[in-house]
Amino acid sequence: THYTLTGLSPQTNYTISVISMNGVSDQDPNINNRTSTIIINTSSDTSACVAGEYTSLQDNGECIVCPENSYSPDAGALSCDCLHGYYRAENEGVDTECTTSPTAPLDLEWNVIQSDSICISWSPPSGTGGRTDLYYTITYTNGGITNEINNVTTTHYTLTGLSPQTNYTISVISMNGVSDQDPNIN
């Protein structure tokens, strides 16, 4: 939870306390044990941060250099924007470096197992986009019918239920935690 205090005077020290309460808290002799207190000074000026830095609200207004692959074009920024082609996953904060989608997987191969199934395998991509949450999406098409298998975390997969004596187009796409934001993923 959070609350924004407004109308504070510049160059002033404030002691702020937060007390956890319920319907009977006024009768609790230990209420001070559930109190959190901080002292802040409103002299922290976000405009003191120059372009390429941002003001960290979690670090007492300290100016911090933008994370890798991000920038703040203006002085006094509260966050840094990702460079074009770089992204942050939805659960990542402004202090996280911006990353990109992985490159294509390498060395796609296939082996027939039975007349209605094949095993495909590949090597990981040469570039992970700066992330460790790598997975793959497999599509296989027969005529106008396309099937998709998502969130494959291994570098091999057995396709079953195929029609014998039929041509298929098979694609393997490398994905990671920011690929859903990349308009170039297809």
Side-chain angles (χ1 to χ4, degrees):
T1 57
H2 67 280
Y3 183 81
T4 302
L5 297 173
T6 59
L8 301 178
S9 300
Q11 306 293 327
T12 304
N13 286 329
Y14 289 92
T15 301
I16 301 170
S17 298
V18 178
I19 303 171
S20 173
M21 302 201 51
N22 61 26
V24 292
S25 294
D26 58 343
Q27 302 169 11
D28 187 349
N30 296 316
I31 196 161
N32 288 334
N33 293 339
R34 294 191 320 269
T35 303
S36 295
T37 303
I38 60 170
I39 299 172
I40 63 167
N41 184 308
T42 57
S43 65
S44 296
D45 182 5
T46 62
S47 65
C49 295
V50 298
E53 296 180 337
Y54 72 103
T55 301
S56 171
L57 299 178
Q58 297 171 339
D59 294 321
N60 298 322
E62 177 184 331
C63 293
I64 298 176
V65 175
C66 289
E68 192 169 336
N69 303 314
S70 68
Y71 70 100
S72 64
D74 303 315
L78 295 176
S79 65
C80 298
D81 297 325
C82 292
L83 296 173
H84 179 73
Y86 290 86
Y87 313 93
R88 288 187 183 102
E90 287 185 28
N91 63 340
E92 295 174 336
V94 299
D95 59 339
T96 304
E97 73 178 65
C98 298
T99 56
T100 191
S101 294
T103 57
L106 303 171
D107 307 320
L108 179 60
E109 297 178 350
W110 60 276
N111 291 309
V112 174
I113 296 176
Q114 295 178 355
S115 63
D116 65 345
S117 61
I118 64 169
C119 180
I120 58 173
S121 63
W122 58 91
S123 297
S126 60
T128 63
R131 303 184 64 86
T132 58
D133 53 356
L134 186 65
Y135 62 96
Y136 304 93
T137 296
I138 301 168
T139 59
Y140 58 103
T141 305
N142 166 14
I145 301 170
T146 299
N147 296 289
E148 187 170 281
I149 302 155
N150 295 302
N151 300 314
V152 176
T153 57
T154 62
T155 56
H156 57 88
Y157 194 87
T158 300
L159 299 172
T160 59
L162 304 175
S163 298
Q165 305 293 319
T166 305
N167 290 329
Y168 285 87
T169 301
I170 301 170
S171 298
V172 179
I173 302 171
S174 302
M175 306 284 282
N176 65 20
V178 297
S179 293
D180 61 336
Q181 299 176 56
D182 189 341
N184 297 315
I185 294 292
N186 51 16

mmCIF file of all heavy atoms in Angstrom, residues 110-142:
data_model
loop_
_atom_site.group_PDB
_atom_site.id
_atom_site.type_symbol
_atom_site.label_atom_id
_atom_site.label_comp_id
_atom_site.label_asym_id
_atom_site.label_seq_id
_atom_site.Cartn_x
_atom_site.Cartn_y
_atom_site.Cartn_z
ATOM 1 N N TRP A 110 15.315 -32.470 -37.834
ATOM 2 C CA TRP A 110 14.190 -33.354 -37.560
ATOM 3 C C TRP A 110 14.543 -34.785 -37.911
ATOM 4 O O TRP A 110 15.393 -35.045 -38.739
ATOM 5 C CB TRP A 110 12.944 -32.903 -38.314
ATOM 6 C CG TRP A 110 13.120 -32.893 -39.810
ATOM 7 C CD1 TRP A 110 13.653 -31.904 -40.576
ATOM 8 C CD2 TRP A 110 12.771 -33.934 -40.712
ATOM 9 N NE1 TRP A 110 13.661 -32.254 -41.889
ATOM 10 C CE2 TRP A 110 13.107 -33.506 -42.017
ATOM 11 C CE3 TRP A 110 12.204 -35.204 -40.570
ATOM 12 C CZ2 TRP A 110 12.900 -34.277 -43.141
ATOM 13 C CZ3 TRP A 110 11.984 -35.973 -41.697
ATOM 14 C CH2 TRP A 110 12.331 -35.509 -42.962
ATOM 15 N N ASN A 111 13.868 -35.707 -37.204
ATOM 16 C CA ASN A 111 14.026 -37.141 -37.442
ATOM 17 C C ASN A 111 12.651 -37.788 -37.380
ATOM 18 O O ASN A 111 11.876 -37.515 -36.453
ATOM 19 C CB ASN A 111 14.921 -37.803 -36.384
ATOM 20 C CG ASN A 111 16.359 -37.366 -36.508
ATOM 21 O OD1 ASN A 111 16.928 -37.430 -37.595
ATOM 22 N ND2 ASN A 111 16.930 -36.911 -35.404
ATOM 23 N N VAL A 112 12.356 -38.636 -38.355
ATOM 24 C CA VAL A 112 11.085 -39.352 -38.352
ATOM 25 C C VAL A 112 11.142 -40.448 -37.292
ATOM 26 O O VAL A 112 12.107 -41.210 -37.223
ATOM 27 C CB VAL A 112 10.792 -39.970 -39.740
ATOM 28 C CG1 VAL A 112 9.538 -40.825 -39.684
ATOM 29 C CG2 VAL A 112 10.671 -38.883 -40.789
ATOM 30 N N ILE A 113 10.136 -40.501 -36.456
ATOM 31 C CA ILE A 113 10.035 -41.553 -35.451
ATOM 32 C C ILE A 113 9.088 -42.639 -35.960
ATOM 33 O O ILE A 113 9.404 -43.814 -35.955
ATOM 34 C CB ILE A 113 9.544 -40.988 -34.105
ATOM 35 C CG1 ILE A 113 10.574 -40.008 -33.559
ATOM 36 C CG2 ILE A 113 9.273 -42.108 -33.128
ATOM 37 C CD1 ILE A 113 10.156 -39.319 -32.290
ATOM 38 N N GLN A 114 7.918 -42.215 -36.399
ATOM 39 C CA GLN A 114 6.921 -43.098 -37.002
ATOM 40 C C GLN A 114 6.261 -42.317 -38.126
ATOM 41 O O GLN A 114 6.538 -41.132 -38.311
ATOM 42 C CB GLN A 114 5.882 -43.528 -35.964
ATOM 43 C CG GLN A 114 6.441 -44.373 -34.847
ATOM 44 C CD GLN A 114 5.382 -44.737 -33.823
ATOM 45 O OE1 GLN A 114 4.243 -44.289 -33.890
ATOM 46 N NE2 GLN A 114 5.762 -45.562 -32.857
ATOM 47 N N SER A 115 5.371 -42.946 -38.853
ATOM 48 C CA SER A 115 4.749 -42.265 -39.991
ATOM 49 C C SER A 115 3.893 -41.069 -39.562
ATOM 50 O O SER A 115 3.613 -40.191 -40.364
ATOM 51 C CB SER A 115 3.904 -43.248 -40.808
ATOM 52 O OG SER A 115 2.842 -43.749 -40.002
ATOM 53 N N ASP A 116 3.496 -41.006 -38.295
ATOM 54 C CA ASP A 116 2.658 -39.897 -37.839
ATOM 55 C C ASP A 116 3.344 -39.023 -36.774
ATOM 56 O O ASP A 116 2.695 -38.230 -36.104
ATOM 57 C CB ASP A 116 1.324 -40.418 -37.292
ATOM 58 C CG ASP A 116 1.504 -41.256 -36.037
ATOM 59 O OD1 ASP A 116 2.635 -41.680 -35.738
ATOM 60 O OD2 ASP A 116 0.486 -41.480 -35.351
ATOM 61 N N SER A 117 4.672 -39.165 -36.608
ATOM 62 C CA SER A 117 5.365 -38.338 -35.616
ATOM 63 C C SER A 117 6.817 -38.122 -36.025
ATOM 64 O O SER A 117 7.434 -38.978 -36.647
ATOM 65 C CB SER A 117 5.293 -38.978 -34.229
ATOM 66 O OG SER A 117 5.907 -40.238 -34.229
ATOM 67 N N ILE A 118 7.325 -36.949 -35.655
ATOM 68 C CA ILE A 118 8.732 -36.623 -35.872
ATOM 69 C C ILE A 118 9.280 -35.947 -34.623
ATOM 70 O O ILE A 118 8.531 -35.342 -33.848
ATOM 71 C CB ILE A 118 8.966 -35.709 -37.100
ATOM 72 C CG1 ILE A 118 8.319 -34.349 -36.903
ATOM 73 C CG2 ILE A 118 8.505 -36.364 -38.378
ATOM 74 C CD1 ILE A 118 8.735 -33.320 -37.943
ATOM 75 N N CYS A 119 10.567 -36.057 -34.445
ATOM 76 C CA CYS A 119 11.249 -35.375 -33.353
ATOM 77 C C CYS A 119 12.048 -34.226 -33.965
ATOM 78 O O CYS A 119 12.821 -34.434 -34.898
ATOM 79 C CB CYS A 119 12.171 -36.328 -32.607
ATOM 80 S SG CYS A 119 13.043 -35.524 -31.236
ATOM 81 N N ILE A 120 11.824 -33.022 -33.461
ATOM 82 C CA ILE A 120 12.615 -31.881 -33.911
ATOM 83 C C ILE A 120 13.564 -31.484 -32.777
ATOM 84 O O ILE A 120 13.269 -31.680 -31.601
ATOM 85 C CB ILE A 120 11.738 -30.681 -34.336
ATOM 86 C CG1 ILE A 120 10.825 -30.219 -33.197
ATOM 87 C CG2 ILE A 120 10.923 -31.029 -35.571
ATOM 88 C CD1 ILE A 120 10.054 -28.945 -33.497
ATOM 89 N N SER A 121 14.715 -30.962 -33.154
ATOM 90 C CA SER A 121 15.679 -30.488 -32.155
ATOM 91 C C SER A 121 16.391 -29.267 -32.715
ATOM 92 O O SER A 121 16.418 -29.056 -33.928
ATOM 93 C CB SER A 121 16.675 -31.589 -31.781
ATOM 94 O OG SER A 121 17.438 -31.957 -32.905
ATOM 95 N N TRP A 122 16.961 -28.465 -31.840
ATOM 96 C CA TRP A 122 17.640 -27.238 -32.239
ATOM 97 C C TRP A 122 18.628 -26.854 -31.151
ATOM 98 O O TRP A 122 18.617 -27.408 -30.053
ATOM 99 C CB TRP A 122 16.622 -26.116 -32.487
ATOM 100 C CG TRP A 122 15.770 -25.819 -31.279
ATOM 101 C CD1 TRP A 122 16.018 -24.910 -30.291
ATOM 102 C CD2 TRP A 122 14.544 -26.456 -30.915
ATOM 103 N NE1 TRP A 122 15.025 -24.934 -29.337
ATOM 104 C CE2 TRP A 122 14.103 -25.878 -29.700
ATOM 105 C CE3 TRP A 122 13.764 -27.465 -31.489
ATOM 106 C CZ2 TRP A 122 12.932 -26.268 -29.063
ATOM 107 C CZ3 TRP A 122 12.597 -27.845 -30.850
ATOM 108 C CH2 TRP A 122 12.193 -27.259 -29.657
ATOM 109 N N SER A 123 19.466 -25.904 -31.460
ATOM 110 C CA SER A 123 20.407 -25.356 -30.480
ATOM 111 C C SER A 123 19.863 -24.014 -29.987
ATOM 112 O O SER A 123 19.146 -23.321 -30.714
ATOM 113 C CB SER A 123 21.778 -25.143 -31.119
ATOM 114 O OG SER A 123 22.323 -26.375 -31.532
ATOM 115 N N PRO A 124 20.212 -23.631 -28.757
ATOM 116 C CA PRO A 124 19.750 -22.341 -28.241
ATOM 117 C C PRO A 124 20.234 -21.190 -29.128
ATOM 118 O O PRO A 124 21.215 -21.331 -29.861
ATOM 119 C CB PRO A 124 20.395 -22.261 -26.858
ATOM 120 C CG PRO A 124 20.710 -23.662 -26.481
ATOM 121 C CD PRO A 124 21.017 -24.363 -27.777
ATOM 122 N N PRO A 125 19.570 -20.048 -29.060
ATOM 123 C CA PRO A 125 19.978 -18.899 -29.866
ATOM 124 C C PRO A 125 21.350 -18.371 -29.430
ATOM 125 O O PRO A 125 21.771 -18.584 -28.294
ATOM 126 C CB PRO A 125 18.882 -17.870 -29.597
ATOM 127 C CG PRO A 125 18.329 -18.245 -28.266
ATOM 128 C CD PRO A 125 18.445 -19.739 -28.177
ATOM 129 N N SER A 126 22.005 -17.679 -30.327
ATOM 130 C CA SER A 126 23.310 -17.099 -29.986
ATOM 131 C C SER A 126 23.154 -15.911 -29.047
ATOM 132 O O SER A 126 24.072 -15.565 -28.315
ATOM 133 C CB SER A 126 24.054 -16.679 -31.254
ATOM 134 O OG SER A 126 23.304 -15.720 -31.975
ATOM 135 N N GLY A 127 21.987 -15.270 -29.059
ATOM 136 C CA GLY A 127 21.731 -14.141 -28.167
ATOM 137 C C GLY A 127 20.427 -14.330 -27.415
ATOM 138 O O GLY A 127 19.380 -14.601 -28.008
ATOM 139 N N THR A 128 20.480 -14.207 -26.091
ATOM 140 C CA THR A 128 19.278 -14.400 -25.258
ATOM 141 C C THR A 128 18.543 -13.098 -24.974
ATOM 142 O O THR A 128 17.559 -13.106 -24.247
ATOM 143 C CB THR A 128 19.651 -15.061 -23.922
ATOM 144 O OG1 THR A 128 20.510 -14.165 -23.209
ATOM 145 C CG2 THR A 128 20.315 -16.406 -24.136
ATOM 146 N N GLY A 129 19.024 -11.988 -25.509
ATOM 147 C CA GLY A 129 18.399 -10.700 -25.230
ATOM 148 C C GLY A 129 18.747 -10.151 -23.862
ATOM 149 O O GLY A 129 18.131 -9.201 -23.395
ATOM 150 N N GLY A 130 19.728 -10.771 -23.199
ATOM 151 C CA GLY A 130 20.117 -10.312 -21.864
ATOM 152 C C GLY A 130 19.258 -10.899 -20.759
ATOM 153 O O GLY A 130 19.277 -10.416 -19.636
ATOM 154 N N ARG A 131 18.524 -11.971 -21.063
ATOM 155 C CA ARG A 131 17.618 -12.561 -20.084
ATOM 156 C C ARG A 131 17.912 -14.046 -19.917
ATOM 157 O O ARG A 131 18.528 -14.669 -20.767
ATOM 158 C CB ARG A 131 16.165 -12.364 -20.516
ATOM 159 C CG ARG A 131 15.794 -10.896 -20.734
ATOM 160 C CD ARG A 131 14.333 -10.761 -21.069
ATOM 161 N NE ARG A 131 13.502 -11.188 -19.957
ATOM 162 C CZ ARG A 131 13.142 -10.396 -18.943
ATOM 163 N NH1 ARG A 131 13.530 -9.150 -18.886
ATOM 164 N NH2 ARG A 131 12.368 -10.860 -17.972
ATOM 165 N N THR A 132 17.408 -14.611 -18.821
ATOM 166 C CA THR A 132 17.580 -16.045 -18.561
ATOM 167 C C THR A 132 16.272 -16.822 -18.717
ATOM 168 O O THR A 132 16.275 -18.043 -18.630
ATOM 169 C CB THR A 132 18.125 -16.280 -17.145
ATOM 170 O OG1 THR A 132 17.221 -15.710 -16.201
ATOM 171 C CG2 THR A 132 19.507 -15.664 -16.985
ATOM 172 N N ASP A 133 15.162 -16.140 -18.930
ATOM 173 C CA ASP A 133 13.849 -16.799 -19.003
ATOM 174 C C ASP A 133 13.494 -17.204 -20.442
ATOM 175 O O ASP A 133 12.447 -16.867 -20.965
ATOM 176 C CB ASP A 133 12.761 -15.912 -18.396
ATOM 177 C CG ASP A 133 12.727 -14.509 -18.981
ATOM 178 O OD1 ASP A 133 13.588 -14.164 -19.820
ATOM 179 O OD2 ASP A 133 11.817 -13.742 -18.604
ATOM 180 N N LEU A 134 14.365 -17.967 -21.051
ATOM 181 C CA LEU A 134 14.234 -18.377 -22.443
ATOM 182 C C LEU A 134 13.252 -19.551 -22.581
ATOM 183 O O LEU A 134 13.280 -20.487 -21.788
ATOM 184 C CB LEU A 134 15.612 -18.784 -22.972
ATOM 185 C CG LEU A 134 15.745 -19.126 -24.436
ATOM 186 C CD1 LEU A 134 15.477 -17.900 -25.308
ATOM 187 C CD2 LEU A 134 17.137 -19.687 -24.721
ATOM 188 N N TYR A 135 12.394 -19.477 -23.595
ATOM 189 C CA TYR A 135 11.503 -20.588 -23.945
ATOM 190 C C TYR A 135 11.230 -20.507 -25.440
ATOM 191 O O TYR A 135 11.693 -19.585 -26.115
ATOM 192 C CB TYR A 135 10.212 -20.556 -23.121
ATOM 193 C CG TYR A 135 9.353 -19.331 -23.320
ATOM 194 C CD1 TYR A 135 8.290 -19.352 -24.219
ATOM 195 C CD2 TYR A 135 9.583 -18.162 -22.607
ATOM 196 C CE1 TYR A 135 7.489 -18.237 -24.408
ATOM 197 C CE2 TYR A 135 8.793 -17.044 -22.788
ATOM 198 C CZ TYR A 135 7.747 -17.084 -23.683
ATOM 199 O OH TYR A 135 6.969 -15.972 -23.874
ATOM 200 N N TYR A 136 10.491 -21.465 -25.964
ATOM 201 C CA TYR A 136 10.274 -21.544 -27.414
ATOM 202 C C TYR A 136 8.799 -21.740 -27.737
ATOM 203 O O TYR A 136 8.047 -22.312 -26.951
ATOM 204 C CB TYR A 136 11.070 -22.720 -28.006
ATOM 205 C CG TYR A 136 12.543 -22.645 -27.686
ATOM 206 C CD1 TYR A 136 13.074 -23.292 -26.578
ATOM 207 C CD2 TYR A 136 13.399 -21.895 -28.488
ATOM 208 C CE1 TYR A 136 14.419 -23.201 -26.272
ATOM 209 C CE2 TYR A 136 14.752 -21.800 -28.187
ATOM 210 C CZ TYR A 136 15.242 -22.460 -27.071
ATOM 211 O OH TYR A 136 16.583 -22.359 -26.770
ATOM 212 N N THR A 137 8.425 -21.242 -28.912
ATOM 213 C CA THR A 137 7.103 -21.489 -29.475
ATOM 214 C C THR A 137 7.302 -22.242 -30.779
ATOM 215 O O THR A 137 8.102 -21.830 -31.620
ATOM 216 C CB THR A 137 6.344 -20.166 -29.729
ATOM 217 O OG1 THR A 137 6.131 -19.526 -28.467
ATOM 218 C CG2 THR A 137 5.012 -20.412 -30.410
ATOM 219 N N ILE A 138 6.599 -23.359 -30.923
ATOM 220 C CA ILE A 138 6.698 -24.193 -32.119
ATOM 221 C C ILE A 138 5.388 -24.075 -32.887
ATOM 222 O O ILE A 138 4.305 -24.195 -32.300
ATOM 223 C CB ILE A 138 6.935 -25.667 -31.746
ATOM 224 C CG1 ILE A 138 8.225 -25.804 -30.935
ATOM 225 C CG2 ILE A 138 6.965 -26.548 -32.989
ATOM 226 C CD1 ILE A 138 8.400 -27.164 -30.279
ATOM 227 N N THR A 139 5.482 -23.823 -34.182
ATOM 228 C CA THR A 139 4.288 -23.860 -35.037
ATOM 229 C C THR A 139 4.544 -24.863 -36.157
ATOM 230 O O THR A 139 5.661 -24.993 -36.647
ATOM 231 C CB THR A 139 3.952 -22.483 -35.652
ATOM 232 O OG1 THR A 139 5.051 -22.037 -36.429
ATOM 233 C CG2 THR A 139 3.626 -21.454 -34.584
ATOM 234 N N TYR A 140 3.500 -25.582 -36.503
ATOM 235 C CA TYR A 140 3.600 -26.475 -37.655
ATOM 236 C C TYR A 140 2.304 -26.377 -38.441
ATOM 237 O O TYR A 140 1.219 -26.322 -37.891
ATOM 238 C CB TYR A 140 3.959 -27.906 -37.259
ATOM 239 C CG TYR A 140 3.034 -28.598 -36.294
ATOM 240 C CD1 TYR A 140 2.127 -29.558 -36.744
ATOM 241 C CD2 TYR A 140 3.085 -28.334 -34.930
ATOM 242 C CE1 TYR A 140 1.293 -30.222 -35.868
ATOM 243 C CE2 TYR A 140 2.263 -28.984 -34.050
ATOM 244 C CZ TYR A 140 1.361 -29.935 -34.519
ATOM 245 O OH TYR A 140 0.537 -30.584 -33.641
ATOM 246 N N THR A 141 2.481 -26.259 -39.763
ATOM 247 C CA THR A 141 1.367 -25.984 -40.657
ATOM 248 C C THR A 141 1.272 -27.067 -41.732
ATOM 249 O O THR A 141 2.272 -27.466 -42.315
ATOM 250 C CB THR A 141 1.547 -24.604 -41.335
ATOM 251 O OG1 THR A 141 1.707 -23.619 -40.309
ATOM 252 C CG2 THR A 141 0.363 -24.243 -42.200
ATOM 253 N N ASN A 142 0.068 -27.494 -41.977
ATOM 254 C CA ASN A 142 -0.249 -28.443 -43.039
ATOM 255 C C ASN A 142 -1.354 -27.796 -43.864
ATOM 256 O O ASN A 142 -2.484 -27.697 -43.398
ATOM 257 C CB ASN A 142 -0.714 -29.771 -42.436
ATOM 258 C CG ASN A 142 -1.361 -30.666 -43.455
ATOM 259 O OD1 ASN A 142 -1.250 -30.446 -44.655
ATOM 260 N ND2 ASN A 142 -2.055 -31.682 -42.980
#
